[in-house]
Amino acid sequence: MGGQGAGKAKGRDGDRVVSRRALIVGGAASALGLGLLARGDLARMWWQVPGIDKPRKAGEVDFKGAEWVAAAAANWRRADRPADYAIDRVVIHVTQGSYQGTLRVFKDPWHGAAAHYVVRQDGHIAQMIRELDVAFHAGNRDYNERSVGIEHEGFVDRPADFTTAMYEASARLTAGICRRYDIPVDREHIIGHVEVPGTDHTDPGPHWDWKRYMRLVRAAHDRTESATT
């Protein structure tokens, strides 16, 4: 969210068209022949054959300690990442509103967008979409497919909204994502929504302390590495 010009169509990025195509892949392959379908699309659809999809448990989270609060199904697309789409980015957002208000918006199927996570000012984390799946958060289909989106409660023009508890909790979350998908801990791979190509959003804004945040992410990442070696 955050910034300005947040249109509903931007959130969906044409993703719903792809999901409809996925539903008819079997029939299309028979009628047209495999050679007429994009090789990349077919490679990403194999898991949708009945019995191939990874088992899922209702309410399961990817980050220990997160609270599961499901986003509306219209605001994300079922996938099998990283088997079908590699994950190589974390996108940092600011909600431009309250934590509860953000959860309410992301549960609204008419909103057309949602992020994987929402971090409250006291450090509490809600997961709304599995990392397996494509969230409509970046306003760019390619970046939706390759990234995990994290919203932060607050407003871009209120630096006091970015609390120590929020920075620390978010840094642990981002470090865990980087560890899971072998994402480099640097500013090329951990970016703001404003840095997504084609976006008209400005978040996380000029008051987000990137030096502090990256230092915390690296420290959390290093602690995780030490604990596993």
Side-chain angles (χ1 to χ4, degrees), residues 31-218:
L32 302 176
L34 295 178
L36 297 181
L37 290 175
R39 182 175 300 175
D41 282 348
L42 286 171
R44 291 165 177 154
M45 291 174 183
W46 69 270
W47 63 271
Q48 298 187 41
V49 175
I52 299 296
D53 193 9
K54 290 178 183 176
R56 303 183 183 216
K57 297 179 181 178
E60 190 172 31
V61 296
D62 297 297
F63 181 73
K64 185 177 180 180
E67 175 190 9
W68 176 254
V69 182
N75 297 336
W76 55 276
R77 170 159 52 89
R78 191 176 177 94
D80 192 38
R81 302 189 310 167
D84 51 359
Y85 299 101
I87 299 174
D88 66 0
R89 295 287 190 279
V90 177
V91 180
I92 302 300
H93 303 260
V94 172
T95 62
Q96 289 299 97
S98 70
Y99 172 82
Q100 289 298 335
T102 301
L103 300 190
R104 185 168 57 252
V105 166
F106 287 172
K107 290 190 286 185
D108 178 359
W110 294 102
H111 181 61
H116 294 90
Y117 295 96
V118 183
V119 184
R120 203 164 62 192
Q121 288 179 350
D122 64 0
H124 180 76
I125 296 173
Q127 181 168 3
M128 304 196 73
I129 299 167
R130 290 294 307 277
E131 292 174 12
L132 285 166
D133 297 320
V134 175
F136 304 160
H137 69 96
N140 176 308
R141 175 178 164 180
D142 177 53
Y143 274 70
N144 282 347
E145 291 171 342
R146 71 194 298 182
S147 68
V148 174
I150 306 175
E151 289 277 2
H152 298 80
E153 179 185 19
F155 292 84
V156 296
D157 58 349
R158 295 191 340 202
D161 287 350
F162 306 141
T163 65
T164 295
M166 175 185 285
Y167 274 123
E168 292 178 349
S170 177
R172 290 191 296 272
L173 173 59
T174 294
I177 294 166
C178 291
R179 166 89 25 216
R180 273 191 290 284
Y181 305 108
D182 198 25
I183 301 172
V185 181
D186 59 34
R187 285 284 286 113
E188 180 181 351
H189 297 86
I190 302 171
I191 65 173
H193 194 182
V194 67
E195 297 170 276
V196 173
T199 188
D200 59 357
H201 289 247
T202 63
D203 55 317
H207 300 297
W208 182 262
D209 191 338
W210 278 109
K211 288 185 178 179
R212 177 185 184 186
Y213 186 66
M214 294 303 298
R215 184 171 63 250
L216 289 168
V217 175
R218 292 188 189 99

